[in-house]
Amino acid sequence: MSGLVAAKELLDEGHDIVIYEKQSAIGGNFTTGAAYERMKLTVSNYFMAFSSFPPPMDQERRFWTREEYADYLDRFVAKFSLGDHIQFGADVQTVERVAEDAFRVTYRADNTTHHDMFSAVAICRGSHRVEAPQLVMYPGATEYEGQILHAAHWSGPEEFRGKRVVCVGMGETSADITREISDVAEACWLSMRSYPALLSRWYDGETNDAYSVRIAHWAPRTVATKSRQEIEESVLSLLSPHDRIVFEWSKHAKPGRFYQKNCDFLDNVISGSITPIFSDISRLQDKTVFFEDGTSVTADVIMLCTGFEENSIPESWIQGYEVSDIRHLYKHEFQPEIGWRLAFIGWARPLHGGVPAASEMQSRLFALLCSGKRSLPPTDELISLTKADADYEDELISGSLLIRTLVHYTQYMDSMAELIGCKPNLEDYLDEPEFLYKLLFGSNIGASYRLRGPHADPEAAKALIMSLPVASENSLVYSKLLPRLAPLALRTQLNEGLANRVEAALKPFVRAG
């Protein structure tokens, strides 16, 4: 999907493009990769869709299935005539920089090696590649008498029927796989190194990312998290058993953890068919799995839901250059020493919201750089700016330092919007208080970055933003949280004078916290 949106934005700028696709169809992981048959997205339709091709305005917020998102990508390709530019069955072997403004791309197609020259290249393979599962080798693994499998090769629960299974890891894929295994297994344990930070897909009747709003994201994350926990603590007796587990586990999670947004498995924790173990495996012996907390179980299978190698870009992708840490790329996109002519699109993974929105912003910037309408700072300054961003992200997501692709959604999108020239200007809407309210308290979908700037569509963007309800109005927690955060959030981002004017405009819509 990152390659498709890059192509669309480059075409908007009038560039001559070629898309090399190894497979015979579009869709990447959603058709031929790591997405499994019964997968349902953990990012809602309005955050998975590109701002240039939103869901129908009357479609409620919901989570698309794998098939629905693949169909969306098909329609995106048809809408913008991208198919004419795709060479299917083209397996790129190398990208080599042969001059300041020239790259040689070598690829295999029809059992023949081909070479083409380009003035700029976007590598859009993304960070989740089924051929690169993150494997864990435990002491005693080679002598373990059971099976050790990885989620990359998950094909359904039947092979686990009647078996005793230890699932390892607490990502969103693990939540689905562990739940399905526990439905048919004799016994199922879920091993987690520590307590996870959880968000349910649905929260007070809305998709969880309906609460991804500027006011919440503008406030310092530590303040927002502490305030939310205080409010949830005060209403704990009113929460369902499911939501109480979400609250308790998240309260015990390390600060700065990446939120896991798939809690469907918790019903099986409540029923007892999943036994959580907050400890990693220490060693294996015969069919016994020993944990670091001193406990052990007898298991037929260990299912590793430990993700994929996503934190580096190998030298083979661009000869002579290896990116060992995604945060060494400016905005997770540009290698400072190479500059703007080589873009890596798809390695910005927001804490809230979806990868498509971030990839779209990366693509918009890359297209404008190719047109000469924008420029990057000099190399020394790029290196300094990149380090500052990396330090910010390391502090923000200190509990998930191994996942180097993570970014703060609104901070990242706003910073990209400043480079593109499409960041919303709140002063433009002081005389439209209802729209200003939706812009600040409603979902921060990609449409807000089509209000102004290159390839803006302000009429359609405003209509879409206005069509979505403000989720916090009917939320037990967020109706109390967002008004509490608003004064601090506004003054964190705006000067005092503008913050006061915005507060005055919003007064009819926002109850006192």
Side-chain angles (χ1 to χ4, degrees), residues 263-473:
C263 297
D264 295 354
F265 74 101
L266 288 180
D267 290 339
N268 286 13
V269 172
I270 293 168
S271 72
S273 56
I274 296 174
T275 302
I277 299 176
F278 300 99
S279 180
D280 200 2
I281 294 173
S282 61
R283 64 186 177 91
L284 308 174
Q285 181 179 327
D286 303 324
K287 276 197 173 182
T288 304
V289 180
F290 295 89
F291 297 94
E292 291 177 349
D293 64 1
T295 61
S296 63
V297 300
T298 301
D300 305 300
V301 185
I302 297 171
M303 169 56 81
L304 299 175
C305 302
T306 47
F308 301 87
E309 298 286 353
E310 65 170 32
N311 298 319
S312 63
I313 295 169
E315 183 181 0
S316 59
W317 289 14
I318 170 67
Q319 286 194 343
Y321 297 92
E322 180 181 4
V323 180
S324 59
D325 185 347
I326 299 303
R327 291 181 188 165
H328 292 168
L329 298 175
Y330 179 61
K331 300 303 179 186
H332 291 226
E333 182 172 14
F334 299 106
Q335 218 274 1
E337 286 79 12
I338 300 178
W340 64 265
R341 289 183 183 273
L342 180 70
F344 297 95
I345 297 176
W347 280 267
R349 181 185 180 189
L351 288 166
H352 306 273
V355 171
S359 291
E360 183 176 43
M361 295 296 270
Q362 291 179 322
S363 300
R364 292 176 70 180
L365 177 59
F366 180 55
L368 293 169
L369 290 166
C370 289
S371 301
K373 296 178 181 177
R374 299 292 184 271
S375 59
L376 294 182
T379 301
D380 288 348
E381 187 177 347
L382 273 183
I383 293 172
S384 176
L385 291 169
T386 301
K387 184 180 185 306
D389 283 348
D391 290 344
Y392 165 78
E393 290 163 3
D394 284 347
E395 181 179 0
L396 176 76
I397 316 163
S398 58
S400 297
L401 285 176
L402 294 179
I403 311 176
R404 309 300 288 170
T405 53
L406 294 176
V407 298
H408 183 287
Y409 176 74
T410 296
Q411 186 275 339
Y412 182 83
M413 295 288 282
D414 279 357
S415 69
M416 293 295 286
E418 288 177 347
L419 295 172
I420 294 165
C422 63
K423 186 178 178 180
N425 184 3
L426 298 188
E427 288 187 276
D428 292 344
Y429 308 110
L430 290 173
D431 294 331
E432 301 178 64
E434 186 175 2
F435 180 71
L436 182 63
Y437 169 62
K438 293 260 185 165
L439 195 60
L440 291 172
F441 283 78
S443 303
N444 185 19
I445 57 175
S448 70
Y449 301 102
R450 293 287 181 179
L451 292 168
R452 58 189 291 267
H455 307 288
D457 190 352
E459 186 175 335
K462 288 181 74 171
L464 185 63
I465 292 167
M466 289 297 292
S467 73
L468 293 175
V470 173
S472 62
E473 290 179 349

Side-chain angles (χ1 to χ4, degrees), residues 1-5 26-31 41 48-50 53 64 66-80 82-83 86 356:
M1 62 85 189
S2 294
L4 295 176
V5 74
I26 70 164
N29 279 336
F30 294 95
T31 53
L41 276 61
M48 283 299 290
F50 301 120
F53 192 52
W64 284 333
R66 167 189 178 175
E67 292 80 11
E68 286 177 309
Y69 190 60
D71 175 69
Y72 170 83
L73 294 178
D74 282 334
R75 291 185 286 111
F76 183 78
V77 168
K79 167 79 172 176
F80 298 107
L82 303 181
I86 303 175

Side-chain angles (χ1 to χ4, degrees), residues 89-304:
D91 184 5
V92 173
Q93 306 292 301
T94 60
V95 177
E96 181 184 5
R97 190 173 199 175
V98 295
E100 178 70 21
D101 58 352
F103 293 84
R104 180 188 293 116
V105 175
T106 301
Y107 65 98
R108 293 276 297 173
D110 300 323
N111 297 316
T112 305
T113 299
H114 304 265
H115 307 278
D116 281 340
M117 298 296 295
F118 296 91
S119 55
V121 174
I123 295 178
C124 308
R125 293 187 64 178
S127 62
H128 295 83
R129 303 184 303 284
V130 72
E131 74 272 16
Q134 179 121 346
L135 300 174
V136 182
M137 287 300 294
Y138 298 108
T142 55
E143 290 80 33
Y144 177 62
E145 295 177 3
Q147 290 179 285
I148 301 178
L149 307 174
H150 191 277
H153 308 295
W154 166 257
S155 59
E158 272 309 305
E159 64 180 299
F160 303 93
R161 184 172 294 279
K163 295 183 178 180
R164 299 168 64 82
V165 185
V166 173
C167 297
V168 179
M170 187 65 277
E172 289 156 1
T173 297
S174 176
D176 277 339
I177 289 177
T178 303
R179 175 179 53 81
E180 291 200 33
I181 287 175
S182 68
D183 286 338
V184 301
E186 177 188 331
C188 181
W189 296 270
L190 175 58
S191 169
M192 301 164 276
R193 284 180 293 191
S194 59
Y195 280 92
L198 298 177
L199 284 177
S200 294
R201 272 196 178 100
W202 296 92
Y203 193 90
D204 286 343
E206 291 280 3
T207 59
N208 58 46
D209 49 23
Y211 303 93
S212 290
V213 303
R214 279 190 168 79
I215 285 297
H217 289 178
W218 279 356
R221 192 175 187 224
T222 53
V223 174
T225 299
K226 182 180 179 182
S227 295
R228 177 181 166 176
Q229 288 179 346
E230 287 174 354
I231 294 169
E232 286 182 322
E233 188 87 62
S234 71
V235 299
L236 196 58
S237 62
L238 302 177
L239 300 180
S240 68
H242 179 284
D243 288 343
R244 281 200 294 274
I245 292 179
V246 171
F247 170 75
E248 290 293 344
W249 287 17
S250 298
K251 185 174 70 172
H252 287 97
K254 295 177 183 177
R257 284 295 297 270
F258 173 52
Y259 278 108
Q260 199 277 88
K261 300 180 286 296
N262 179 359
C263 297
D264 295 354
F265 74 101
L266 288 180
D267 290 339
N268 286 13
V269 172
I270 293 168
S271 72
S273 56
I274 296 174
T275 302
I277 299 176
F278 300 99
S279 180
D280 200 2
I281 294 173
S282 61
R283 64 186 177 91
L284 308 174
Q285 181 179 327
D286 303 324
K287 276 197 173 182
T288 304
V289 180
F290 295 89
F291 297 94
E292 291 177 349
D293 64 1
T295 61
S296 63
V297 300
T298 301
D300 305 300
V301 185
I302 297 171
M303 169 56 81
L304 299 175

